[in-house]
Amino acid sequence: MDYAPAVWVEACESNYTASERPESYPIEYVVIHLTTDILPVMFAKFKDPAERVSAHYMISATGTRIAQCVRERDVAWHSGSVWYNHRSIGIEHEGWTDQPVYVDKMYETSAVLTATVCAKYDVPVDRDHIIGHVEVPLSTHDDPGAVWDWDKYMNLVDTARRRIRT
């Protein structure tokens, strides 16, 4: 595993591409997602070879559980764009776009994970490099949704990133 606080819940090999990132592709982005389903359903989808989908990490709605499903060196199939998949880490959050379900603990847990990824791969902590799924060019998704508080999240990521530097 790449992130010590996470538990390993491996995606099916048919749902990601084995790689040797960052040597094969630079990691330049973190893509923020929303599951629109509960974690057990998402884990089942990631394990089902017919689904052809995965993410590197999943965070529970309460922020108390982090699962890693694909190693960071491998390419998760999360953004709908092969180019972005090759160059990003995908983080799913348990929740629904039409309901303000995001709690402080989830934001904090996610922000520390994102800051850790940014520190490890020298990804700038800004909105050009930490993006929502909706911001991937030609995306057909609208997650993480209008209720996602980007200002709050980016402040938390920035604070966590500064702590990692010291």
Side-chain angles (χ1 to χ4, degrees):
M1 283 198 331
D2 299 299
Y3 187 63
V7 297
W8 182 244
V9 182
E10 186 172 14
C12 175
E13 290 178 353
S14 299
N15 290 339
Y16 65 89
T17 303
S19 187
E20 289 298 328
R21 300 183 318 160
E23 290 79 17
S24 54
Y25 300 97
I27 296 173
E28 302 174 80
Y29 301 93
V30 175
V31 180
I32 302 299
H33 297 272
L34 182 68
T35 63
T36 65
D37 222 325
I38 59 174
L39 289 187
V41 171
M42 294 307 296
F43 291 141
K45 286 182 180 183
F46 288 4
K47 289 181 177 294
D48 182 348
E51 290 288 336
R52 307 200 43 85
V53 66
S54 63
H56 293 93
Y57 295 98
M58 295 193 29
I59 298 175
S60 67
T62 61
T64 58
R65 183 173 184 194
I66 304 169
Q68 183 172 359
C69 303
V70 176
R71 295 193 190 287
E72 292 173 5
R73 71 175 181 238
D74 295 327
V75 178
W77 299 347
H78 61 93
S79 78
S81 164
V82 171
W83 192 91
Y84 273 86
N85 285 348
H86 280 98
R87 291 162 179 82
S88 65
I89 298 293
I91 303 174
E92 286 277 2
H93 298 80
E94 184 179 35
W96 296 262
T97 55
D98 60 345
Q99 299 173 19
V101 297
Y102 303 118
V103 299
D104 288 343
K105 178 71 173 163
M106 189 205 61
Y107 277 115
E108 292 161 6
T109 299
S110 177
V112 172
L113 169 59
T114 296
T116 303
V117 167
C118 289
K120 186 175 186 178
Y121 300 106
D122 202 25
V123 175
V125 175
D126 61 34
R127 288 287 287 120
D128 291 329
H129 296 89
I130 301 171
I131 63 174
H133 191 179
V134 66
E135 296 166 306
V136 172
L138 305 176
S139 176
T140 59
H141 293 254
D142 61 359
D143 59 302
V147 298
W148 182 266
D149 188 339
W150 280 107
D151 289 337
K152 175 181 185 170
Y153 186 68
M154 293 305 295
N155 284 333
L156 289 167
V157 174
D158 186 55
T159 298
R161 180 67 178 94
R162 280 187 271 117
R163 285 187 190 132
I164 290 169
R165 281 191 192 136
T166 59

